[in-house]
Amino acid sequence: MRPILVLAGAIVAAIAVVPGFRAMHGPDTIVRGPGVTSLSSLSAYHKALAGSPGDTAIYDLRGSTPGGTVLVLGGTHADEPAGYLAAVVLLEQARVDAGRLLVIPRANASGFTHNYPQEGHPTSFTVATPWGRRQFTYGARATNPVHQWPDPQVYSLPGSGQTLSGSETRNLNRAYPGRPDGTFTEQIAFAITTLITREHVDLALDLHEASPEYPVVNTMVAHQRAVDLAAVANMTMQSAGVVIGLETSPEHLHGLSHREWGDATGAFAVLMETTNPAQGRLRGRTDADLVVNGRDRFYVLASSRGGLPVPFPDSGWPLSTRVARHLAGVAALVGSLGDLTPDKAVVLAGVPDYETLVTRGLGAFLRKP
Ligand SMILES: [Zn+2]
């Protein structure tokens, strides 16, 4: 009798969670901002992605005068909402006076169709705006296993011979430069690398978050060709009071955007990281409030004992501050591109500066769908 009761209970529990997971397969609504001049899809750069869960929208913002081309990626990892929302604010608010800005807010769209329930992660979170609450998906680091299965025991990166844990075979930021006939995730990577080459992208930025105990948070990681450009941007940010580190992309760490974009294309490649306590191992209660408000007393304690690479204040690391850091980084790096190569200048308007975004909050810069 007892096994039947357990089975019945499991079926009831499974039915109860189905609506939440099914809802994740419908993408969040993103509003086309006044600066968006056209919309295309990643499959334009690799036809095999057309109609697949790896296809994703590319927002094109073209200025009226010539200049360089900048690409900004959010959502490489769908459980790192500051990168995703910085890309959303950029495409919903920015206008381009010179040059061209390409924004992909959900770089790994498949990662937004599932999450990690065993981490206690919410499937979504909401941001308060002047007109109500706007909902966004909280996804997963990797491609949905429904879309790429099974994982090998060991992921051997094509070309470099580097080996990683098998689950990393679904990590877009280990799949670059990608292969047209590779795994589903390698094909997404291939399409992005092809876009960078075909559109002559001058500066390619990949926006991430990581746990507060990860040593590379609040840092830019730049390909060696982009280090001078990133150093100038770094000084611009520091002089505006935004403390941020700078590291050079390790030469033998393969598959990552900042390494492979820089090696395989002519673009300056930079990755940025902010601090997301919902990803950390020391966190307490895990819910949408932690994702948005970024407050956690265990991280405050760890910080007070000198255990974290960057301070964790009582006020936490709210999503507004994390998005503000990413947008300050994008503005500084774009400015630096124009300073170092004036014919490649990209002139942006309408992007909130760090102080304005922190003071007014993220919701003030999200449009009503
Ligand atoms: Zn990441």
Side-chain angles (χ1 to χ4, degrees), residues 28 84-85 88 123-127 134-138 366:
D28 303 335
Y84 171 35
L85 287 195
V88 170
T123 54
S124 66
F125 58 94
T126 60
V127 178
R134 185 161 158 191
Q135 183 172 310
F136 295 95
T137 299
Y138 194 84
L366 294 172

Side-chain angles (χ1 to χ4, degrees), residues 27-350:
D28 303 335
T29 304
I30 291 177
V31 183
R32 187 174 163 158
V36 176
T37 45
S38 66
L39 200 59
S40 62
S41 296
L42 190 59
S43 56
Y45 301 92
H46 182 48
K47 286 198 167 50
L49 291 178
S52 82
D55 207 358
T56 194
I58 305 170
Y59 295 79
D60 196 340
L61 293 82
R62 275 180 194 263
S64 51
T65 53
T69 298
V70 173
L71 170 69
V72 176
L73 248 66
T76 291
H77 294 144
D79 56 350
E80 300 171 7
Y84 171 35
L85 287 195
V88 170
V89 170
L90 203 55
L91 74 91
E92 291 192 358
Q93 299 294 335
R95 295 183 311 279
V96 178
D97 290 335
R100 185 184 184 197
L101 173 67
L102 295 163
V103 184
I104 306 180
R106 285 183 288 246
N108 188 356
S110 169
F112 285 86
T113 63
H114 71 132
N115 82 335
Y116 299 127
Q118 71 274 27
E119 289 284 338
H121 283 164
T123 54
S124 66
F125 58 94
T126 60
V127 178
T129 77
W131 45 264
R133 300 194 77 86
R134 185 161 158 191
Q135 183 172 310
F136 295 95
T137 299
Y138 194 84
R141 174 180 172 81
T143 297
N144 193 332
V146 168
H147 303 144
Q148 183 180 319
W149 182 263
D151 292 343
Q153 286 288 325
V154 174
Y155 177 40
S156 187
L157 264 78
S160 71
Q162 180 181 300
T163 53
L164 296 166
S165 143
S167 63
E168 291 290 83
T169 195
R170 288 181 289 111
N171 181 351
L172 176 59
N173 204 26
R174 297 296 181 276
Y176 290 112
R179 293 185 298 172
D181 55 352
T183 65
F184 179 56
T185 308
E186 286 169 355
Q187 292 191 37
I188 297 168
F190 171 78
I192 293 169
T193 308
T194 303
L195 178 160
I196 293 171
T197 304
R198 202 182 292 171
E199 302 303 334
H200 307 289
V201 170
D202 299 294
L203 172 63
L205 308 177
D206 193 13
L207 308 182
H208 286 253
E209 297 205 271
S211 64
E213 60 268 37
Y214 184 62
V216 191
V217 286
N218 290 1
T219 298
M220 305 178 165
V221 185
H223 186 267
Q224 66 270 15
R225 283 192 296 102
V227 167
D228 288 353
L229 179 138
V232 173
N234 195 283
M235 284 187 281
T236 305
M237 292 177 76
Q238 308 270 9
S239 63
V242 185
V243 177
I244 183 158
L246 172 60
E247 297 208 4
T248 307
S249 172
E251 211 166 308
H252 300 293
L253 192 55
H254 288 281
L256 291 102
S257 56
H258 47 82
R259 164 57 38 212
E260 305 298 348
W261 293 350
D263 284 356
T265 78
F268 294 122
V270 182
L271 177 149
M272 285 189 282
E273 297 270 12
T274 52
T275 308
N276 177 13
Q279 288 177 267
R281 302 262 53 93
L282 304 180
R283 68 182 192 269
R285 185 189 173 97
T286 303
D287 54 16
D289 189 52
L290 177 64
V291 171
V292 176
N293 296 320
R295 277 193 293 269
D296 184 285
R297 64 193 174 95
F298 298 105
Y299 275 112
V300 174
L301 184 63
S303 181
S304 71
R305 296 188 179 175
L308 298 177
V310 297
F312 200 100
D314 287 335
S315 55
W317 282 100
L319 189 54
S320 289
T321 305
R322 287 140 55 197
V323 170
R325 290 185 65 89
H326 274 317
L327 290 177
V330 170
L333 286 158
V334 169
S336 179
L337 176 71
D339 290 343
L340 296 179
T341 52
D343 60 320
K344 300 290 183 194
V346 175
V347 181
L348 303 179

